[in-house]
Amino acid sequence: MSSLDSTLSVFRAVGEETRLRIMALLARGELTVSELTQILGQSQPRVSRHLKILADAALVERHREGAWMFYRIAGGAEADPARDALVAAISAIGEDGDRIVARDAERFAQSRQARADQAAAYFQENAAEWSRLRNLHLPESDIERQIVDIAGKGSVDVFVDLGTGTGRMLEIFADRFTQGVGYDLSHEMLSIARNNLEQAGVTHAQARHGDLFSLPMENGAADIVCIHHVLHYLAEPEAAVREAARILKPGGRIIISDFAPHDLEFLREEHAHRRLGFADAEVKQWCARANLRLERTQTLSPTGAGKGAAKKLTVKIWLCAAPAGVKRLRARSAA
Ligand SMILES: C[S@@+](CC[C@H](N)C(=O)[O-])C[C@H]1O[C@@H](n2cnc3c(N)ncnc32)[C@H](O)[C@@H]1O
């Protein structure tokens, strides 16, 4: 329950134009201070001061990753109807066509597009080299074995690989599914994936052009969704997990494989990474909000045997499951 004081501090915090604009922007998605500075057209110290006031009122939360500070609308796993109502009201500002809010929204979209273009350019440039590059970061064969193991024994009908790249996950799971599909936005990566699948004799999987944030798939169609080595490139990793959850069958599973938090800033500049790994707590929060259960977490510590970054990067595999479904719930309540 909110006290008079905390309610007043919330209203004081949002009762200012720039701070309202910041809240409206963060309601669209997580942003760094420098992205906010560019979108708002204000100095960094000024934006930081506004952000501090919003953070003190528990309206936004921040987390530092290397040289970047990320901000997002505050929100634990528990629902907070008052905060959600406030954020919904702020998100609706500008629906009447307010010029300033509309311009902020346009700049937000441009900032996201610039980020996506930067990553796309990286993959376009490195598509042919990807099989070599993915081994530079990590000893891939160990990780692949663990990813297949965590999926458990037995076969499934539909396997979906998001950000399939060269189609490697489709290849290593090929004997476990009846029908496989890998989505990617990079035509360069897709043509390599098609070639690799053909070479490997995998005829029951397809590499298709598609955006993992809005998949051309029905709700509840997939048994297993794999997201390997993709989320750290994305501006909205949680939205990717939400979309993966949407296409899961009841009882279906998502296998996420990515890095634990690290401080290798050069991966941003040289390899288009946006996020420097993910903490278990963050993945757990995504799961809770997407109505998934985090079933298992596996940690693959660096062996020191790899080259360069591989010596320092810890890989995590998270297994997330969708609720078993209406049928089972009905059976239980009838019992
Ligand atoms: C690191 S690469 C490939 C990783 C691949 N899963 C593997 O195991 O090697 C990440 C891939 O994600 C793709 N990607 C990035 N954003 C995407 C999006 N919004 N929709 C679909 N694919 C995306 C990139 O084009 C790239 O091929």
Side-chain angles (χ1 to χ4, degrees):
M1 192 176 293
S2 310
S3 69
L4 187 62
D5 276 354
S6 65
T7 308
L8 252 179
S9 85
V10 164
F11 281 106
R12 282 202 185 106
V14 292
E16 197 277 338
E17 184 181 313
T18 302
R19 293 199 287 275
L20 260 185
R21 287 169 65 195
I22 291 175
M23 287 293 289
L25 282 164
L26 295 179
R28 292 174 181 274
E30 178 181 84
L31 289 163
T32 65
V33 182
S34 83
E35 287 166 339
L36 274 166
T37 303
Q38 277 172 18
I39 295 171
L40 294 165
Q42 297 187 11
S43 72
Q44 182 142 338
R46 213 168 149 198
V47 172
S48 295
R49 195 159 30 85
H50 285 306
L51 284 166
K52 182 172 182 321
I53 293 170
L54 291 170
D56 288 348
L59 285 167
V60 305
E61 57 192 25
R62 60 193 147 193
H63 73 278
R64 176 173 285 288
E65 257 184 34
W68 292 10
M69 184 73 94
F70 288 89
Y71 283 86
R72 60 171 80 114
I73 297 285
E78 309 93 55
D80 179 342
R83 183 198 55 221
D84 293 350
L86 182 65
V87 173
I90 291 171
S91 310
I93 300 171
E95 278 176 3
D96 62 349
D98 180 274
R99 200 174 43 81
I100 294 174
V101 176
R103 196 189 53 204
D104 285 351
E106 200 181 308
R107 289 187 179 165
F108 176 93
Q110 283 165 356
S111 161
R112 284 291 194 255
Q113 193 54 50
R115 161 72 215 157
D117 289 349
Q118 185 200 356
Y122 171 80
F123 290 117
Q124 183 177 7
E125 235 168 74
N126 291 293
E129 287 267 0
W130 182 247
S131 302
R132 187 182 64 81
L133 282 174
R134 75 205 284 279
N135 271 299
L136 276 187
H137 293 354
L138 2 134
E140 272 294 330
S141 53
D142 296 355
I143 296 159
E144 289 176 357
R145 210 173 23 252
Q146 304 275 356
I147 289 176
V148 174
D149 281 356
I150 210 169
K153 296 203 183 346
S155 303
V156 297
D157 274 345
V158 180
F159 176 89
V160 180
D161 184 27
L162 304 186
T164 196
T166 54
R168 181 68 187 152
M169 291 295 122
L170 293 169
E171 257 187 75
I172 64 170
F173 274 95
D175 59 357
R176 301 281 195 100
F177 58 73
T178 310
Q179 194 194 331
V181 56
Y183 289 104
D184 207 288
L185 277 182
S186 161
H187 290 290
E188 290 75 15
M189 284 289 197
L190 285 167
S191 69
I192 293 170
R194 288 179 191 123
N195 191 44
N196 285 348
L197 292 171
E198 197 182 306
Q199 298 286 318
V202 179
T203 53
H204 56 306
Q206 292 172 356
R208 289 197 198 142
H209 188 253
D211 186 349
L212 56 79
F213 291 115
S214 57
L215 294 163
M217 276 188 97
E218 307 264 301
N219 291 353
D223 295 280
I224 295 183
V225 178
C226 185
I227 318 177
H228 173 57
H229 210 33
V230 176
L231 292 184
H232 57 257
Y233 294 103
L234 306 178
E236 305 286 354
E238 178 172 2
V241 173
R242 212 168 37 238
E243 178 65 350
R246 179 187 70 73
I247 61 160
L248 270 194
K249 286 181 186 170
R253 286 157 297 155
I254 303 177
I255 302 168
I256 301 172
S257 163
D258 217 291
F259 301 121
H262 62 83
D263 59 3
L264 301 178
E265 194 74 40
F266 81 93
L267 290 174
R268 284 192 170 129
E269 283 111 50
E270 292 174 26
H271 294 281
H273 291 205
R274 177 179 169 93
R275 295 290 310 274
L276 301 183
F278 301 100
D280 291 343
E282 184 172 7
V283 177
K284 201 169 172 193
Q285 202 172 61
W286 298 340
C287 286
R289 293 199 282 239
N291 194 25
L292 298 167
R293 195 178 60 254
L294 181 55
E295 276 201 338
R296 268 181 74 184
T297 302
Q298 198 140 323
T299 305
L300 298 149
S301 301
T303 57
K307 284 191 212 155
K311 287 190 175 161
K312 295 191 184 154
L313 287 168
T314 293
V315 172
K316 305 285 294 199
I317 306 173
W318 294 280
L319 182 70
C320 319
V326 179
K327 264 192 188 150
R328 228 171 96 177
L329 286 178
R330 276 208 192 113
R332 256 199 225 132
S333 58

